[in-house]
Amino acid sequence: MTRIILERFVRVSGGEHADIVVIPRPAASTKRSALRAAVRSIGAQRVTVMDFDTRRDCQEAGRLRRLEEASGIFFTGGNQLRLTTLLGGTPVARLVRQRNAQGVTVGGTSAGASILSEHMIAFGDEGSAVISERALAPGLGLTTASSSTSISASATGSGACSRRWPTTPLRSASPR
């Protein structure tokens, strides 16, 4: 994950009082402690890395309660189609949209940023710029024409945060 994106995310999620839930790509549970340490080192007060390996996981009351407590929800990279196939239409997806509408920051890097939109680019080859090789698929629906979104692109990746009020755009780590 790009540190500049995480720093901004923690800042807009409450700074030293931030209560962050990180949702890693499916099957990334071996990196849980590294993810938690990275976000804590930036200054978040509380960090939970919450794996979702099955759609059944998306219905567990304890996970839903933890998302209710969070001041920020962050999705890591991976495969955006896998993420939305796992989360789409579940209580977790509905709660993430609800919490975002209530002002909770929701963001991500790479695939985690891609899934925030109503429609996301799916398929195609990594790094491909040929539009004909890509297709659209449904995302989580947080960013539409009516919502305010901040997006960043850096030399090492991309990130996005979705908020329901105007925010200062994330700054690129490299000159434009």
Side-chain angles (χ1 to χ4, degrees), residues 4-13 150 167-170:
I4 193 168
I5 294 168
L6 279 177
E7 287 172 350
R8 170 75 170 149
F9 184 80
V10 169
R11 190 168 53 252
V12 299
S13 298
S150 301
T167 60
T168 307
L170 293 172

Side-chain angles (χ1 to χ4, degrees), residues 15-132:
E16 65 185 31
H17 303 290
D19 183 352
I20 307 294
V21 171
V22 177
I23 301 176
R25 71 178 198 267
S29 60
T30 58
K31 298 180 181 178
R32 289 173 65 108
S33 60
L35 285 169
R36 187 179 306 106
V39 179
R40 290 270 309 163
S41 74
I42 292 169
Q45 182 176 38
R46 182 177 179 201
V47 180
T48 301
V49 178
M50 189 178 298
D51 295 308
F52 292 94
D53 295 317
T54 67
R55 289 180 65 82
R56 179 177 291 164
D57 293 341
C58 299
Q59 299 173 24
E60 291 182 10
R63 294 173 194 251
L64 296 170
R65 270 192 306 277
R66 180 63 188 98
L67 287 168
E68 282 280 354
E69 299 167 351
S71 64
I73 302 167
F74 193 88
F75 294 92
T76 67
N79 178 318
Q80 63 260 39
L81 198 55
R82 170 85 171 106
L83 281 167
T84 56
T85 299
L86 185 64
L87 299 174
T90 67
V92 164
R94 286 188 292 277
L95 184 57
V96 168
R97 280 193 305 276
Q98 176 187 351
R99 298 289 290 141
N100 183 242
Q102 295 168 344
V104 168
T105 307
V106 177
T109 54
S110 191
S114 295
I115 69 169
L116 301 181
S117 61
E118 185 173 11
H119 300 96
M120 64 178 191
I121 295 175
F123 311 107
D125 296 326
E126 185 174 329
S128 173
V130 179
I131 301 297
S132 64

